[in-house]
Amino acid sequence: IEDNNLMVASELLDNTIKQELKKPEREQVLLAKATLLARQADWDAARRLCDSILEENQGNMDAHFLLGKILLSTRNPADAEVHLNQVGVARPKDEEVQLLLVRSQALNKKEAMAADTLKRSVEANPESARLRLELANYYLSKGEKDQVARVLEKGLDLQPTNLAMLKAA
């Protein structure tokens, strides 16, 4: 997004925030503003908006997710894991959520937990080549070539023409 478009979008969101909105709409606008700020790497302002949304509604998974991404971006994997874990439980089939949760767990030196998260993610979303390849890479890093072969074989059974899995196999 160009700088001019960012300014226009920011002004539009600011004007909308000033209006009397119902709670769900207000949360959506605040989340949009937080997302815009995060894209501009204004981490503190984006985090404050996410925190304000979560003060009102702990169940807003989009705010937890954005906050988790912000915390990972600002090298705070311990707090990121807390938020990403909540989203991961609520969205077991969301690849991006699961991969970011695994990343936060790995950064927090919770390797076994990260591996379990990857395994559960592949079980919940067996056709996800992205998750399956990540799990295969994990097993490869551990020297568990039999596990790598099993993970890729199962993936190729589901998607016999997937080039990424064919190449990895």
Side-chain angles (χ1 to χ4, degrees):
I1 300 178
E2 295 176 22
D3 286 342
N4 189 39
N5 289 341
L6 288 173
M7 287 177 43
V8 170
S10 184
E11 287 176 24
L12 177 63
L13 289 169
D14 288 339
N15 289 335
T16 305
I17 289 169
K18 292 175 187 173
Q19 297 175 12
E20 284 193 36
L21 301 171
K22 293 180 181 176
K23 186 177 178 180
E25 289 83 14
R26 181 168 175 74
E27 285 179 10
Q28 287 178 334
V29 174
L30 289 172
L31 191 62
K33 178 69 176 189
T35 301
L36 183 66
L37 291 166
R39 286 186 181 157
Q40 295 172 305
D42 189 348
W43 308 119
D44 291 335
R47 184 176 179 174
R48 282 192 302 274
L49 283 176
C50 287
D51 286 339
S52 72
I53 294 168
L54 292 171
E55 280 177 21
E56 295 290 321
N57 180 4
Q58 272 294 312
N60 189 315
M61 290 300 121
D62 293 328
H64 280 291
F65 184 47
L66 180 57
L67 186 53
K69 291 189 331 185
I70 290 167
L71 292 166
L72 272 179
S73 296
T74 58
R75 294 182 176 84
N76 190 342
D79 289 341
E81 182 182 348
V82 171
H83 293 282
L84 293 170
N85 191 51
Q86 289 185 17
V87 182
V89 170
R91 300 177 183 169
K93 291 190 175 194
D94 188 317
E95 290 177 346
E96 185 180 9
V97 170
Q98 298 303 321
L99 289 171
L100 288 174
L101 175 57
V102 166
R103 181 173 162 210
S104 68
Q105 291 167 333
L107 288 169
N108 289 322
K109 302 189 183 343
K110 297 178 180 177
E111 189 175 312
M113 188 179 288
D116 287 344
T117 300
L118 264 176
K119 291 174 196 173
R120 280 193 313 275
S121 298
V122 169
E123 287 172 12
N125 196 358
E127 292 192 18
S128 170
R130 198 170 156 199
L131 290 169
R132 193 168 288 282
L133 289 170
E134 192 68 31
L135 182 59
N137 283 331
Y138 166 77
Y139 284 132
L140 188 62
S141 74
K142 295 294 172 195
E144 298 178 27
K145 293 179 182 176
D146 291 343
Q147 288 288 65
V148 173
R150 273 192 284 275
V151 167
L152 293 175
E153 282 175 24
K154 286 180 185 176
L156 287 170
D157 286 346
L158 295 169
Q159 297 179 6
T161 60
N162 185 295
L163 293 178
M165 282 194 283
L166 283 168
K167 184 178 175 185

